[in-house]
Amino acid sequence: MASCNSCHEPHTLEVAFEPCQTCHLADSAQNVRIARQSYDGSGDVSVGIRSDIQNNAALLLSMVKDYSAQVAGVPMIHDASRFPYFFADANGDGAIDTEDGSPVAYAAWTPRSLRTTFSWKLVTADPGNYAHNPEYSLQLLYDSIEDLSGPLGIDMRELGLLR
């Protein structure tokens, strides 16, 4: 297992990409492909694994929102610029609900929506997930998408995702 400073300069944390090019043909760390298969169902293996992670994360967030509206019965809005990031949209008008001039935090969590949203947040909080542990990131996303697919009536086979 590599240490942090095998990739990062220890004083600046700048990534030393040149050693990666010994094995990986890419112009940046973001464009390194770790497998010759598509995990996001696109079939595109000409892009870095980062793209698969980002696509699956976007799909999961969309499914979390659909689940909140369709199954939990309370639509939600995600706003990455404001904590706690998820807000109520009880009337489904696309605007964050307010109470006394303050945004209303989303509170209609179910165990499933909380579990899958936590996995989404864990993966997306690390901008270097494609290098730090892409296999784990892809697995968390896949399992969370699979967890929501049943209640939403989505056939996992049709999504074409790989573990």
Side-chain angles (χ1 to χ4, degrees):
M1 174 174 241
S3 66
C4 296
N5 60 357
S6 65
C7 295
H8 294 274
E9 205 290 324
H11 300 290
T12 65
L13 296 182
E14 185 176 326
V15 175
F17 179 62
E18 294 75 28
C20 302
Q21 293 174 318
T22 303
C23 301
H24 300 284
L25 300 175
D27 59 356
S28 70
Q30 293 88 347
N31 292 328
V32 169
R33 184 89 198 161
I34 62 166
R36 290 183 176 94
Q37 58 188 8
S38 169
Y39 291 90
D40 65 1
S42 69
D44 187 358
V45 294
S46 67
V47 295
I49 199 66
R50 176 180 182 231
S51 177
D52 291 33
I53 293 170
Q54 289 176 328
N55 291 341
N56 286 356
L59 173 61
L60 177 55
L61 180 58
S62 175
M63 289 176 71
V64 164
K65 291 177 182 179
D66 291 346
Y67 179 90
S68 297
Q70 297 171 23
V71 179
V74 180
M76 74 162 52
I77 294 176
H78 172 253
D79 183 345
S81 67
R82 288 199 262 186
F83 182 80
Y85 312 117
F86 295 93
F87 299 93
D89 179 18
N91 61 6
D93 67 354
I96 295 172
D97 296 343
T98 58
E99 186 174 292
D100 298 327
S102 297
V104 177
Y106 189 77
W109 297 104
T110 67
R112 178 173 275 130
S113 66
L114 193 57
R115 174 174 60 239
T116 56
T117 303
F118 179 83
S119 292
W120 173 84
K121 182 64 177 163
L122 180 66
V123 169
T124 59
D126 178 5
N129 57 24
Y130 58 90
H132 296 143
N133 199 342
E135 296 88 355
Y136 185 65
S137 295
L138 288 163
Q139 185 68 54
L140 277 176
L141 294 168
Y142 182 95
D143 290 348
S144 297
I145 290 166
E146 184 177 50
D147 195 12
L148 293 174
S149 68
L152 289 172
I154 296 171
D155 184 346
M156 283 294 289
R157 292 173 302 218
E158 290 182 14
L159 294 176
L161 306 179
L162 294 179
R163 275 204 143 122

